């Protein structure tokens, strides 16, 4: 690509500072031209309060939408209608239907829409997918347990309707699982625990099945005092394949394998490389499978009310 892609970021918060900014800096195809955020800005970059003003007053080719999911649809629709390529942070929206409509609109407008799943770019993920393609799967256990106070301090949106609660991290595990599985799975049972004072679950136990009868279980919990875990155990007829550290590590039959040297920004560097590729190829990449499983868990889930959660 001869000219750089002029990019605007909307919603300058934790993930923008931790991952998007260093990854954009490392990618020669992008130029961070503007931000739109009510309370934050990036040094040396034109700052606007909202996306409307940013689109009116700057010359952008693309936008990265990094605000909470409940506020993403309106911004995405506006950006697409203005002919911009759009990158959606995960989860791509608050509902399945809104993102499907965005994908249709992007196709009509001839712009690229990219629903990102950063965990799918974890260092071990493609190795696991390749290993599973050669083995017969017997069962799967996903464990996603982290301390919400440590990872989401003061984030109110995450507890509100559409914020997903414990599925905000849990959907990362599901994004890896659905990428590696090779067969579609459906939600067979869901038990969701809601704090009495919150609109989103603090824990979830899920059972999935595939058409061929493979059983998959997932346990997600934000009430963790001790060890945190982001693991997926794939029991195969040739032994155990384990993803650890949220996709960064791999254990096969009890032996940890080297998955290569990766920068701390590896997942997001891969996301921006893919976004540039999609723009150049005039394509979109919108896989809603992980979001559909979460939506079905809400649809089918038994709800148990547990103690209030206070930050
Ligand atoms: P965050 O720190 O709360 O930042 C989101 C930013 O969006 C806020 O700082 C806020 O900036 C802006 N915003 C716009 N409208 C908002 C509204 N109505 N309510 C609250 N904020 C609003 O959240 P985050 O952790 O960066 O997460 C953002 C998205 O990235 C989520 O979808 C999350 O799942 C995803 N993500 C997060 C992580 C992580 O480690 N934190 C990792 C991967 C993906 P202004 O107030 O300046 O407008």
């Amino acid at each position: 690509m001869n000219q750089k892609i002029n990019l605007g970021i909307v919603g300058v918060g934790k993930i923008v500072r931790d991952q998007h900014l260093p990854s954009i800096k490392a990618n020669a195809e992008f130029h961070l031209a503007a931000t739109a955020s009510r309370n934050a800005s990036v040094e040396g970059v034109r700052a606007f309060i909202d996306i409307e003003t940013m689109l009116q007053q700057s010359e952008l080719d693309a936008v990265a939408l990094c605000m909470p999911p409940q506020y993403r649809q309106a911004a995405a629709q506006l950006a697409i209608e203005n002919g911009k390529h759009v990158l959606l942070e995960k989860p791509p929206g608050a509902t399945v239907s809104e993102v499907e409509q965005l994908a249709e609109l992007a196709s009509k407008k001839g712009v690229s829409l990219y629903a990102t799943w950063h965990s799918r770019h974890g260092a071990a993920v493609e190795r696991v997918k390749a290993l599973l393609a050669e083995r017969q799967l017997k069962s799967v256990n996903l464990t996603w347990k982290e301390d919400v106070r440590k990872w989401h301090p003061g984030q109110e949106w995450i507890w509100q309707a559409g914020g997903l609660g414990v599925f905000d991290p849990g959907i990362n595990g599901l994004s890896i699982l659905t990428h590696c599985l090779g067969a579609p799975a459906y939600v067979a049972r869901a038990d969701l625990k809601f704090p009495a004072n919150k609109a989103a679950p603090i824990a979830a136990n899920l059972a999935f099945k595939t058409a061929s009868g493979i059983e998959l279980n997932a346990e997600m919990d934000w009430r963790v005092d001790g060890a945190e875990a982001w693991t997926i155990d794939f029991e195969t007829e040739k032994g155990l394949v384990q993803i650890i550290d949220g996709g960064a590590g791999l254990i096969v039959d009890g032996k940890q394998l080297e998955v290569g040297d990766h920068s701390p920004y590896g997942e997001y560097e891969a996301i921006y490389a893919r976004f540039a590729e999609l723009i150049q190829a005039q394509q979109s990449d919108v896989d809603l499978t992980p979001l559909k499983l979460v939506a079905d868990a809400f649809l089918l889930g038994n709800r148990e009310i547990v103690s209030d959660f206070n930050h």
Side-chain angles (χ1 to χ4, degrees):
M1 203 171 283
N2 298 330
Q3 279 202 319
K4 288 204 178 204
I5 301 163
N6 279 318
L7 180 75
I9 288 184
V10 189
V12 178
K14 184 174 189 307
I15 196 58
V16 166
R17 283 188 294 271
D18 289 356
Q19 293 288 342
H20 287 258
L21 296 180
S23 304
I24 293 163
K25 209 171 177 181
N27 189 318
E29 295 187 89
F30 287 95
H31 166 61
L32 180 57
T35 62
S37 214
R38 300 160 307 174
N39 302 294
S41 58
V42 175
E43 209 187 323
V45 179
R46 284 187 80 191
F48 300 92
I49 291 291
D50 53 45
I51 185 172
E52 288 83 358
T53 327
M54 181 178 81
L55 291 176
Q56 279 161 13
Q57 298 185 17
S58 48
E59 295 285 321
L60 299 178
D61 304 302
V63 294
L65 303 183
C66 305
M67 71 286 269
Q70 301 99 318
Y71 312 103
R72 214 168 278 141
Q73 187 282 336
Q77 184 173 334
L78 186 70
I80 295 169
E81 282 170 348
N82 279 272
K84 311 302 173 200
H85 306 292
V86 173
L87 179 156
L88 303 170
E89 247 301 347
K90 53 67 47 174
T95 68
V96 172
S97 48
E98 73 187 36
V99 190
E100 285 175 342
Q101 286 180 24
L102 290 173
E104 263 182 48
L105 187 63
S107 159
K108 264 193 212 137
K109 286 281 178 183
V111 297
S112 298
L113 181 66
Y114 179 22
T116 63
W117 297 108
H118 68 87
S119 295
R120 285 184 173 173
H121 301 285
V125 173
E126 287 307 322
R127 282 280 294 278
V128 169
K129 190 176 167 77
L131 275 170
L132 293 180
E134 296 166 356
R135 293 173 174 224
Q136 202 174 335
L137 194 58
K138 287 164 69 179
S139 65
V140 182
N141 278 299
L142 179 152
T143 307
W144 232 251
K145 290 185 179 179
E146 64 179 42
D147 179 356
V148 64
R149 289 191 173 86
K150 177 167 144 197
W151 296 99
H152 303 280
Q155 285 185 342
E156 263 315 312
W157 61 265
I158 218 161
W159 290 108
Q160 291 161 358
L164 294 196
V166 74
F167 288 112
D168 175 80
I171 202 169
N172 296 333
L174 295 179
S175 75
I176 298 175
L177 179 60
T178 51
H179 181 70
C180 292
L181 209 52
Y186 63 90
V187 180
R189 184 181 171 85
D191 294 310
L192 312 177
K193 291 183 170 36
F194 283 71
N197 62 342
K198 299 290 181 197
I202 195 164
N205 278 303
L206 312 169
F208 306 96
K209 277 187 183 162
T210 66
S212 61
I214 296 168
E215 297 205 355
L216 307 97
N217 290 293
E219 199 184 343
M220 303 169 184
D221 208 324
W222 260 347
R223 303 161 302 173
V224 179
D225 293 337
E228 297 181 304
W230 300 271
T231 62
I232 310 176
D233 292 356
F234 297 91
E235 184 69 58
T236 76
E237 100 290 4
K238 288 189 202 161
L240 191 60
V241 176
Q242 295 172 288
I243 283 190
I244 57 168
D245 300 336
L250 170 61
I251 300 176
V252 179
D253 302 326
K255 193 171 160 228
Q256 184 150 5
L257 301 190
E258 192 50 63
V259 285
D261 260 350
H262 284 266
S263 97
Y265 310 116
E267 293 180 5
Y268 277 79
E269 285 178 357
I271 279 178
Y272 277 96
R274 173 88 177 125
F275 192 30
E277 202 177 272
L278 288 169
I279 292 171
Q280 192 153 30
Q282 301 181 327
Q283 287 173 358
S284 288
D285 179 349
V286 183
D287 176 15
L288 293 179
T289 316
L291 188 64
K292 285 181 181 170
L293 292 180
V294 170
D296 282 354
F298 277 104
L299 205 55
L300 187 70
N302 297 301
R303 292 176 181 226
E304 184 189 337
I305 304 299
V306 298
S307 340
D308 279 5
F309 175 83
N310 296 302
H311 292 279

